[in-house]
Amino acid sequence: GFTDGLLKRNANSWQGHKLNGDLALLEVRRLVQVQKMPEAKKSLGSAIAEYRASLTGNPGDYLTTIALARSLELDGEVAESEKLFNALTDKDKENTQAYLELYRLYIAERKLTEAEGILKKAIRNNPKDTGLRLELARYYLGTNKRDDLVKMLAEMKSDLRQFPNAYVQSGDRKSVV
């Protein structure tokens, strides 16, 4: 009812369309759980349409664009999803959510070179973000790039001002005294 009220007052309410998209996406999850795939596919289409309508009223909204890109990926529109995530990483270089979403997409698509590249780009743009470095470390571990893993962790341990928990985060039991 809340979204109906928003859209009744203003048919172009970006908030109303965003909420309708979120509700449609929740419905997709429920329908998949009860194995009603044709209905889930239809609800996913509704979510995508609502997110697009929301972006018409509020172009470039970060959260709506993330939601649209996720929905498009789920619908198999990977190229458009990738394009949206890349645009977000260019638009807001310090918001790491789009980098991580794009990384996840690349891993799912088995684009390992691109996955590593997007994490390195994220680190260049957010050099103090330990979480990004640890994600790259997990990538190196999973792809058996031991030399790169050891080098990156050693760099973190050599800069304890920026990475005060580097020894703990790298799994090294050596204390810093």
Side-chain angles (χ1 to χ4, degrees):
F2 183 72
T3 56
D4 292 340
L6 285 170
L7 292 171
K8 187 175 184 180
R9 278 180 266 155
N10 176 4
N12 296 320
S13 167
W14 71 269
Q15 298 99 331
H17 288 294
K18 167 74 167 74
L19 287 171
N20 271 343
D22 292 344
L23 292 171
L25 205 52
L26 287 170
E27 182 67 5
V28 169
R29 183 175 184 188
R30 187 190 69 75
L31 290 168
V32 168
Q33 287 175 339
V34 296
Q35 299 181 1
K36 293 186 176 183
M37 301 315 279
E39 293 90 344
K41 179 80 171 159
K42 183 177 177 184
S43 189
L44 181 59
S46 295
I48 291 169
E50 291 291 344
Y51 290 138
R52 288 187 194 281
S54 178
L55 287 170
T56 299
N58 189 19
D61 180 67
Y62 198 90
L63 293 177
T64 306
T65 304
I66 288 278
L68 175 60
R70 285 177 180 161
S71 299
L72 288 166
E73 181 184 356
L74 189 59
D75 197 36
E77 300 294 330
V78 175
E80 187 176 355
S81 177
E82 179 181 354
K83 181 179 172 185
L84 288 171
F85 285 136
N86 268 312
L88 287 175
T89 64
D90 291 339
K91 177 183 175 183
D92 187 352
K93 294 179 182 346
E94 293 179 6
N95 193 329
T96 60
Q97 186 175 3
Y99 293 109
L100 293 172
E101 292 284 346
L102 188 53
Y103 168 72
R104 185 188 51 73
L105 183 143
Y106 286 148
I107 291 295
E109 291 292 309
R110 298 288 205 200
K111 295 180 176 180
L112 299 182
T113 302
E114 291 87 344
E116 180 180 5
I118 198 64
L119 286 178
K120 286 181 174 180
K121 178 181 176 183
I123 291 168
R124 276 192 309 277
N125 291 329
N126 299 277
K128 295 181 180 182
D129 190 315
T130 305
L132 292 170
R133 291 174 187 274
L134 294 176
E135 191 63 43
L136 184 57
R138 280 189 286 278
Y139 170 82
Y140 287 149
L141 182 64
T143 56
N144 202 25
K145 293 186 172 187
R146 180 172 165 64
D147 292 341
D148 292 329
L149 172 63
V150 170
K151 179 182 174 192
M152 188 187 63
L153 293 176
E155 287 172 5
M156 287 176 66
K157 290 186 281 186
S158 71
D159 186 359
L160 294 176
R161 281 193 184 146
Q162 187 166 325
F163 307 108
N165 298 318
Y167 279 88
V168 173
Q169 291 168 328
S170 69
D172 192 335
R173 294 194 171 148
K174 294 178 185 175
S175 63
V176 181
V177 179

